[in-house]
């Protein structure tokens, strides 16, 4: 009876004949970050919503242009060895204008990478298009995932500046690791400027590996996105299964039953969306 009463109450609330727009839209907005039912003031948005949109746009621009601070991430990874590298994009403007340079290591930094460690996996923390996302979420995801990789040889964490996803291919190839996980700030939108993505690739080859060869977890940003524990559970399972198959990407499916408790959490797609 309680279930029937709940359904009846929900129907009453969502029935336009019972609840007018002024009551319905606020209720619906509680369940999404999308801008719905904003109303109008003449031919324009109401002032408060226009100001909110401008503030979101400013936050997105700040996320793209804010400098990456490796020290912030290293502090969160205290106790784990780290290495710092840069891409071939010498500055932020070059990085934004030349995506190809963000996919290649700086030659000097390549020579400083440790090699020959017979590592199973390397975690690359890359600024991407939102250093804010990386500063806030990356260290916690690395720690939670590494803790689940019992028996794995984990390479020093690489902190990469002016980096695109494919820079992980260059890093893994140079270090001789079997797999790479790139944690990177995703392209900001009008509702999220702090979203972290995780890209997993088995034995990548620079210039040859494509996005179809990767798996991706997107929207890691509690409490509104995927939680750290849920992301770590999925990553660890994908890493283990990918090593068994000897492949990642379209051949590797997410079959985990991780407890995704965060509101708005997204399931990991079988293939990656366009990489930052």
């Amino acid at each position: 009876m309680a279930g029937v009463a709940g359904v009846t109450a929900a129907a009453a609330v969502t029935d336009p004949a019972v609840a007018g727009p002024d009551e319905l839209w606020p209720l619906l907005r509680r369940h999404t970050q999308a801008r719905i039912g904003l109303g109008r003031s003449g031919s324009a948005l109401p002032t408060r919503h226009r100001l909110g949109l401008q503030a979101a746009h400013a936050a997105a621009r700040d996320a793209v242009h804010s400098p990456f601070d490796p020290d912030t991430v290293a502090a969160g990874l205290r106790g784990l060895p780290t290495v710092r590298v840069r891409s071939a994009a010498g500055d932020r403007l070059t990085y934004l204008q030349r995506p190809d340079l963000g996919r290649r290591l700086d030659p000097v930094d390549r020579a400083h990478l440790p090699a020959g460690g017979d590592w199973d996996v390397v975690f690359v923390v890359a600024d991407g298009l939102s250093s804010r996302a990386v500063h806030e979420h990356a260290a916690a995801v690395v720690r939670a995932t590494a803790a689940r990789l019992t028996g794995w040889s984990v390479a020093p964490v690489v902190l990469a500046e002016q980096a695109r996803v494919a820079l992980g291919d260059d890093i893994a190839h140079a270090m001789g690791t079997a797999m790479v996980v790139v944690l990177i700030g995703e392209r900001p939108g009008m509702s999220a400027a702090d979203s972290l993505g995780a890209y997993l690739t088995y034995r990548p080859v620079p210039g040859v590996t494509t996005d179809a060869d990767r798996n991706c977890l997107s929207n890691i940003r509690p409490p509104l996105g995927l939680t750290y524990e849920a992301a770590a559970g999925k990553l660890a399972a994908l890493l283990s299964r990918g090593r068994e198959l000897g492949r990642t990407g379209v051949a590797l499916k997410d079959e985990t039953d991780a407890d995704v408790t965060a509101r708005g959490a997204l399931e990991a797609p079988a293939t990656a969306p366009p990489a930052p």
Side-chain angles (χ1 to χ4, degrees), residues 77 79-83 154-158:
L77 293 170
L80 297 177
T82 61
V83 182
V154 180
V157 180
V158 179

Side-chain angles (χ1 to χ4, degrees), residues 165 186-187 197-199 211-212 214-218 268-276:
V165 169
E186 296 182 312
R187 184 178 294 107
Y199 290 78
D211 286 345
R214 314 185 198 283
N215 291 78
C216 172
L217 293 181
S218 185
T271 57

Side-chain angles (χ1 to χ4, degrees), residues 138-271:
V141 176
V142 171
R143 283 190 172 281
T145 306
R148 287 168 165 77
L149 299 178
T150 304
W152 286 57
S153 176
V154 180
V157 180
V158 179
L159 309 181
E161 189 173 358
Q162 313 296 8
R164 303 277 176 172
V165 169
L167 188 70
D169 300 351
D170 216 351
I171 291 170
H173 193 262
M175 295 179 67
T177 60
M179 305 183 82
V180 59
V181 176
V182 178
L183 300 171
I184 192 166
E186 296 182 312
R187 184 178 294 107
M190 291 295 97
S191 60
D194 64 336
S195 182
L196 184 75
Y199 290 78
L200 164 67
T201 316
Y202 180 83
R203 295 206 180 278
V205 178
V208 175
T209 298
T210 70
D211 286 345
D213 300 311
R214 314 185 198 283
N215 291 78
C216 172
L217 293 181
S218 185
N219 198 37
I220 304 171
R221 56 182 195 101
L224 296 174
L226 201 63
T227 65
Y228 301 145
E229 291 302 312
K234 285 177 175 290
L235 275 175
L238 287 168
L239 282 164
S240 296
R241 184 57 177 155
R243 184 165 69 170
E244 291 175 3
L245 290 175
R247 296 197 49 194
T248 50
V250 296
L252 177 61
K253 308 301 180 184
D254 176 18
E255 298 175 347
T256 61
D257 292 322
D259 181 19
V260 182
T261 58
R263 181 161 50 91
L266 299 181
E267 293 293 329
T271 57

Side-chain angles (χ1 to χ4, degrees), residues 43-72:
S43 60
L45 286 173
T47 300
R48 69 182 184 281
H49 293 306
R50 180 173 177 80
L51 291 176
L53 188 62
Q54 290 175 335
H57 186 241
R61 288 176 60 88
D62 285 347
V64 170
H65 291 285
S66 294
F68 178 49
D69 182 8
D71 289 337
T72 297

